[in-house]
Amino acid sequence: VFSLVELKKYGYFAILNAVFSDLLFSLDVILLGFLMSEVDVAYYRVALLIPANITFLTAIFMQSDYPIIAKNYLNKIFLKDYITNYYKLFIPITLLILIVGILAKDLILDLFFSANYENVGVAFSIALFGFSISMLTRNLYGNILSAIGLIKYNMISSVLVLIILTLSALLLVPMYGYLGMIISMSIGLLSSGLFLMYFFYSNFKKL
């Protein structure tokens, strides 16, 4: 049972995490618009739109299980089994999405957008890889940390990723344009997932 002070802290960290998380998915467009042209921003949005939305699969799954995870937040066996079963389900799904997405990228872009955007296929593939890894790391460990009362680590991760995204974008966008921003976002997602995984397992033995 959490005390009133702990609940207040949780609320503060939840608010801050929401702010930084929203900033993560708006800072990229702001930086790209500042560093490149509107055409690059358009290409970036097209390349990112579908990959960014594949995470709804894990979001729905995790939200439905959130009360169960919270109820068993001190049960190490439950948490280990949950992570194992999560990977049994989502690793095959993620691989399928990656294989189909990469092989059929031109068809997908032509179907949902137009032939004018077929040249963003490489950026689309990189973004798809980044968000697929996010499904297996950031989405999983971020939600578990939140459910077991350690949401402050989500906030810390978001701040670190904002710094990484900004620095990598300033380096890569002038060199590679919108593709550099796609790479920067993918690096940010990968870093976020690794940070959250580290925070979870470093606190796991303390539960």
Side-chain angles (χ1 to χ4, degrees):
V1 179
F2 294 104
S3 68
L4 181 60
V5 173
E6 289 174 320
L7 289 174
K8 285 183 177 180
K9 286 183 178 180
Y10 183 93
Y12 294 146
F13 283 123
I15 293 170
L16 290 172
N17 181 59
V19 171
F20 288 126
S21 295
D22 287 342
L23 183 58
L24 174 64
F25 290 102
S26 58
L27 181 64
D28 54 348
V29 175
I30 294 172
L31 286 171
L32 189 59
F34 176 74
L35 296 170
M36 303 298 292
S37 67
E38 292 182 1
V39 174
D40 287 288
V41 175
Y43 282 140
Y44 175 77
R45 286 182 176 275
V46 167
L48 199 68
L49 184 60
I50 294 176
N53 282 285
I54 65 171
T55 56
F56 85 92
L57 295 170
T58 53
I60 294 173
F61 184 86
M62 294 298 296
Q63 287 301 314
S64 63
D65 284 350
Y66 192 93
I68 302 173
I69 300 171
K71 182 179 179 180
N72 292 275
Y73 76 102
L74 291 177
N75 189 334
K76 291 183 178 181
I77 296 176
F78 170 84
L79 294 174
K80 288 175 67 175
D81 288 343
Y82 185 88
I83 292 171
T84 299
N85 291 328
Y86 180 94
Y87 281 135
K88 285 180 181 179
L89 175 63
F90 280 104
I91 286 178
I93 291 175
T94 301
L95 288 174
L96 180 62
I97 290 173
L98 269 175
I99 293 170
V100 173
I102 291 173
L103 292 179
K105 59 183 181 297
D106 293 334
L107 177 62
I108 293 171
L109 290 168
D110 187 31
L111 178 64
F112 287 95
F113 303 102
S114 72
N116 296 329
Y117 291 105
E118 287 183 355
N119 60 332
V120 304
V122 173
F124 176 87
S125 299
I126 294 173
L128 193 63
F129 175 79
F131 280 96
S132 295
I133 296 299
S134 179
M135 288 173 63
L136 299 176
T137 54
R138 185 174 186 268
N139 293 39
L140 171 61
Y141 293 104
N143 278 286
I144 290 179
L145 284 168
S146 177
I148 64 177
L150 298 175
I151 197 171
K152 66 179 180 180
Y153 293 108
N154 292 53
M155 188 206 69
I156 294 171
S157 174
S158 296
V159 172
L160 292 173
V161 171
L162 283 172
I163 295 171
I164 292 171
L165 175 63
T166 302
L167 294 177
S168 59
L170 291 174
L171 175 66
L172 296 176
V173 171
M175 297 170 59
Y176 303 109
Y178 71 90
L179 182 60
M181 183 56 74
I182 289 286
I183 296 172
S184 298
M185 176 58 75
S186 297
I187 292 173
L189 291 172
L190 176 60
S191 301
S192 177
L194 292 176
F195 285 143
L196 291 170
M197 183 186 293
Y198 169 77
F199 290 142
F200 171 75
Y201 284 109
S202 63
N203 284 276
F204 182 74
K205 56 187 176 184
K206 302 176 186 177
L207 296 176

